[in-house]
Amino acid sequence: MIIWFDLLMMVVLFFMGLCFYRSNGKGANLLSGYNMKTKEERSRFDEPQMCRIYGRKMMQMAIPFFFGAVIDLILPGRGCLLAWIVFAVLFVRLLRLRGKMEK
């Protein structure tokens, strides 16, 4: 059961990242807080580049869930926990990168 959850999270994150990566900047409106900026503030950002960066990061966040599923084959439940911990670390790193990009 947990293996399927890991695989589902992997697929969802990978395809969301792929959609952002290929959006050519159109996915920027889906980013939290970015859609509330004024047009003047948005003009300072390279939206296609920002979406490519977010897309790559999302696809990278799918990798721990693949390895979590593999670990769950041997030690049920431990791989999922480990995947979520690594995901949380990657997510915090993404938030820090976003803070640097918006300055």
Side-chain angles (χ1 to χ4, degrees), residues 17-63:
L18 190 62
C19 289
F20 263 94
Y21 188 80
R22 292 183 162 191
S23 73
N24 293 325
K26 295 175 185 168
N29 288 331
L30 299 174
L31 299 175
S32 173
Y34 185 78
N35 57 356
M36 298 180 73
K37 294 186 182 295
T38 64
K39 294 224 185 244
E40 296 168 352
E41 290 175 319
R42 287 184 186 189
S43 66
R44 295 185 299 154
F45 295 98
D46 182 9
E47 290 179 351
Q49 178 65 21
M50 187 169 60
C51 285
R52 282 192 299 274
I53 290 170
Y54 273 89
R56 275 196 311 262
K57 294 292 182 182
M58 285 178 160
M59 288 188 278
Q60 289 171 0
M61 287 181 193
I63 295 169

Side-chain angles (χ1 to χ4, degrees):
M1 174 75 175
I2 292 177
I3 295 170
W4 293 110
F5 179 73
D6 287 335
L7 294 175
L8 178 67
M9 285 298 297
M10 179 191 72
V11 169
V12 167
L13 283 170
F14 181 79
F15 282 112
M16 281 177 50
L18 190 62
C19 289
F20 263 94
Y21 188 80
R22 292 183 162 191
S23 73
N24 293 325
K26 295 175 185 168
N29 288 331
L30 299 174
L31 299 175
S32 173
Y34 185 78
N35 57 356
M36 298 180 73
K37 294 186 182 295
T38 64
K39 294 224 185 244
E40 296 168 352
E41 290 175 319
R42 287 184 186 189
S43 66
R44 295 185 299 154
F45 295 98
D46 182 9
E47 290 179 351
Q49 178 65 21
M50 187 169 60
C51 285
R52 282 192 299 274
I53 290 170
Y54 273 89
R56 275 196 311 262
K57 294 292 182 182
M58 285 178 160
M59 288 188 278
Q60 289 171 0
M61 287 181 193
I63 295 169
F65 289 101
F66 171 76
F67 288 111
V70 172
I71 292 170
D72 280 335
L73 288 171
I74 302 164
L75 301 166
R78 301 240 168 93
C80 186
L81 177 64
L82 183 62
W84 277 105
I85 291 169
V86 173
F87 172 79
V89 169
L90 292 174
F91 186 71
V92 168
R93 289 181 65 205
L94 177 65
L95 293 178
R96 286 185 181 166
L97 175 66
R98 182 177 178 175
K100 289 179 185 177
M101 285 174 41
E102 290 186 0
K103 287 184 180 181

